[in-house]
Amino acid sequence: CNLTGWWENDLGSKMQVFKVGNDGSFSGEYHTAVSSAKKPIQPSPLNGSQHLDEDGQCTFGFTVNWKKFSDSTAVFVGQCFNGDDGKEVLHTSWLLREKVDSEPDDWKATR
């Protein structure tokens, strides 16, 4: 699986991975289509690592810092699959951590 390039999810968010290094590290931008932030959405930097293997169905993870418009950070983990139609497909899970004002509010900070 070659993560380099543009990817789009079911909600219309897009991710661009600039280049995957020989060690599997990569960077790029995430263009989210969904946000509860009050500021306008802006492209956000991402940094990650891909496990390079021989069958092409690699695992990977990356962090997105939404610092341009929100006080939150997201982490994504996933795997690339070679679909029946020959196209590469990414399946991911994510956690989003929003800033809260106090420790007692910690319970509602992670989705």
Side-chain angles (χ1 to χ4, degrees), residues 42-109:
Q42 295 185 42
S44 299
L46 69 82
N47 288 290
S49 182
Q50 176 181 1
H51 178 81
L52 303 172
D53 59 13
E54 294 176 13
D55 70 1
Q57 299 192 129
C58 62
T59 59
F60 59 89
F62 60 92
T63 302
V64 179
N65 186 332
W66 309 108
K67 65 184 175 184
K68 293 182 177 182
F69 66 95
S70 175
D71 288 331
S72 62
T73 303
V75 293
F76 294 76
V77 293
Q79 183 173 349
C80 181
F81 294 95
N82 296 312
D84 293 336
D85 59 1
K87 292 184 179 180
E88 294 174 331
V89 178
L90 305 182
H91 285 259
T92 61
S93 296
W94 56 268
L95 289 172
L96 175 75
R97 177 65 187 216
E98 294 179 296
K99 180 181 167 184
V100 292
D101 294 326
S102 65
E103 186 178 359
D105 289 334
D106 183 64
W107 68 270
K108 64 181 180 179

